[in-house]
Amino acid sequence: MRIVITGGAGFLGSHLCRYFINKGHKVIAIDNLITGSMANIEYLFKSSSFEFYKYDVTNYIHVPGKVDAILHFASPASPVDYLKFPIPTLKVGALGTHKALGFAKDKKAIFMIASTSEVYGDPLINPQHEKYWGNVNPVGPRGVYDEAKRFAEAMTMAYHRYHKMPVRIIRIFNTYGPNMRINDGRAVPNFMSQAIKNKPITVYGDGSQTRSLCYVSDLVEGIYRLLESGISEPVNIGNPHEITLLELAQTIKKISASKSKIVFKPLPQDDPKVRRPDITIAKTKLKWEPKVSLEEGLKKTLSYFKEKLKTA
Ligand code: UDP
């Protein structure tokens, strides 16, 4: 296959580029680098199967030649980043999805949109299954991401229904691993850089809010299986192992043998109180479930951040 990956220099995008190249496919990565990084894809330039374009996909997209699949993964994805870039976040989720869909239609390619557990907002049910419509504050600070992704899902289904296009909608739950930016503001990179430097580990609120963290290699395998399936409805991909943020901070402190203190800071507005994927559909229809334990994944991620901080 010849695959276009928007956001190809980002955390997930860069893992996808590598995964598909290793499987023998050709990959064209597109990224405007507002949150992505060339360092994530530098070594891929050695492969003749890899091309990269620095480009903002909220504009008209054109790639010459045949394209079999488009994976639209471009977007700021950390709450800190989408607060810093609220309008680009709205634009890439809305206008970027429209452009990528039009491009996929033109190429008669499969289209996959990276959606998110944020479409469930601050959920009133736990775990969240795909039929749940969510509890989103459209005008809150997270609304720029949540609503853009909800619009992206609606647009994707409209192209599927109206143009009979093959589409895939993956709802990605919290994912972590190498190639995350150490300063992207999310819990895992924050806690790890704080723990490595023996600085205070900043837990927001009382730390009783929960998340369920998936290691990136498990997520990528789920993306591949969904792409290969014929499922056009949304599918949750994530690890259902749910923990509190305080437990996460304690685990990271332990595995890094850190002297850091755990301190409590104000909880950001509209921060979801619980989050856990119901992965029944992924398990039954994709035969997928995560394999990497939290401790194992965190250890691999910690080695990556230690190395990054050494060269920073
Ligand atoms: N969080 C925290 N300390 C930090 C960064 C984040 O306690 O330094 C909390 C945040 O308030 C949220 C959880 O960690 O409850 C996960 O936040 P993240 O930014 O990783 O992503 P989210 O799941 O909110 O999109």
Side-chain angles (χ1 to χ4, degrees):
M1 286 197 289
R2 193 160 180 257
I3 304 169
V4 169
I5 301 176
T6 77
F11 164 44
L12 296 181
S14 60
H15 282 278
L16 287 170
C17 291
R18 188 183 56 180
Y19 181 87
F20 283 106
I21 287 172
N22 286 346
K23 270 201 161 358
H25 301 293
K26 293 201 181 313
V27 168
I28 299 157
I30 307 179
D31 203 301
N32 67 356
L33 299 177
I34 66 167
T35 57
S37 156
M38 289 306 282
N40 287 342
I41 53 170
E42 206 70 67
Y43 70 101
L44 292 174
F45 284 88
K46 277 187 256 157
S47 164
S48 58
S49 299
F50 183 66
E51 285 174 70
F52 173 76
Y53 296 97
K54 183 174 183 293
Y55 188 69
D56 180 343
V57 295
T58 60
N59 301 300
Y60 184 81
I61 304 170
H62 179 70
V63 173
K66 109 181 161 103
V67 172
D68 304 289
I70 290 134
L71 274 51
H72 183 38
F73 275 65
S75 177
S78 149
V80 171
D81 284 339
Y82 46 75
L83 286 186
K84 203 151 77 188
F85 304 110
I87 295 166
T89 300
L90 277 160
K91 283 176 72 180
V92 76
L95 307 181
T97 301
H98 182 220
K99 294 288 185 281
L101 276 162
F103 173 58
K105 177 161 77 75
D106 187 49
K107 297 288 183 187
K108 300 189 172 37
I110 302 176
F111 176 82
M112 178 184 271
I113 177 71
S115 188
T116 167
S117 54
E118 282 284 322
V119 300
Y120 303 122
D122 187 2
L124 303 177
I125 63 164
N126 197 37
Q128 296 81 48
H129 56 71
E130 290 86 346
K131 296 246 173 312
Y132 179 52
W133 290 353
N135 178 39
V136 170
N137 174 3
V139 294
R142 302 172 83 103
V144 295
Y145 184 66
D146 304 8
E147 294 297 359
K149 291 293 190 184
R150 289 169 68 98
F151 174 90
E153 288 197 6
M155 185 65 115
T156 301
M157 284 312 283
Y159 268 67
H160 173 63
R161 292 195 183 108
Y162 187 78
H163 293 301
K164 316 274 181 263
M165 261 177 58
V167 300
R168 310 282 184 265
I169 300 173
I170 174 171
R171 290 190 179 149
I172 300 171
F173 283 66
N174 292 69
T175 303
Y176 68 99
N179 294 8
M180 288 182 105
R181 259 179 30 246
I182 192 126
N183 60 350
D184 89 357
R186 283 186 276 193
V188 170
N190 269 10
F191 292 173
M192 287 205 170
S193 69
Q194 292 161 344
I196 294 166
K197 296 176 189 160
N198 291 311
K199 296 236 172 89
I201 297 179
T202 55
V203 169
Y204 300 158
D206 62 5
S208 63
Q209 71 273 33
T210 68
R211 294 293 185 274
S212 308
L213 299 165
C214 186
Y215 188 66
V216 64
S217 60
D218 280 334
L219 188 93
V220 167
E221 186 58 35
I223 291 170
Y224 178 68
R225 298 220 184 165
L226 179 59
L227 188 68
E228 294 277 285
S229 79
I231 306 174
S232 40
E233 283 75 36
V235 179
N236 289 340
I237 299 283
N239 190 321
H241 176 70
E242 183 180 13
I243 56 164
T244 68
L245 261 294
L246 184 56
E247 283 168 325
L248 178 67
Q250 287 162 341
T251 308
I252 290 176
K253 180 173 147 83
K254 191 184 86 195
I255 64 161
S256 53
S258 171
K259 296 189 189 65
S260 295
K261 278 204 292 267
I262 293 178
V263 298
F264 295 90
K265 300 270 178 191
L267 191 67
Q269 191 191 330
D270 299 338
D271 198 284
K273 286 179 268 310
V274 290
R275 186 183 285 154
R276 177 183 180 200
D278 178 328
I279 58 165
T280 310
I281 295 182
K283 268 184 166 167
T284 53
K285 296 197 174 163
L286 306 179
K287 307 278 175 260
W288 174 87
E289 63 183 315
K291 294 198 169 65
V292 181
S293 72
L294 182 65
E295 190 141 334
E296 190 187 343
L298 287 177
K299 282 182 180 159
K300 288 185 186 177
T301 311
L302 186 70
S303 313
Y304 169 81
F305 282 133
K306 275 188 177 161
E307 210 43 51
K308 273 269 147 181
L309 282 172
K310 255 192 242 161
T311 52

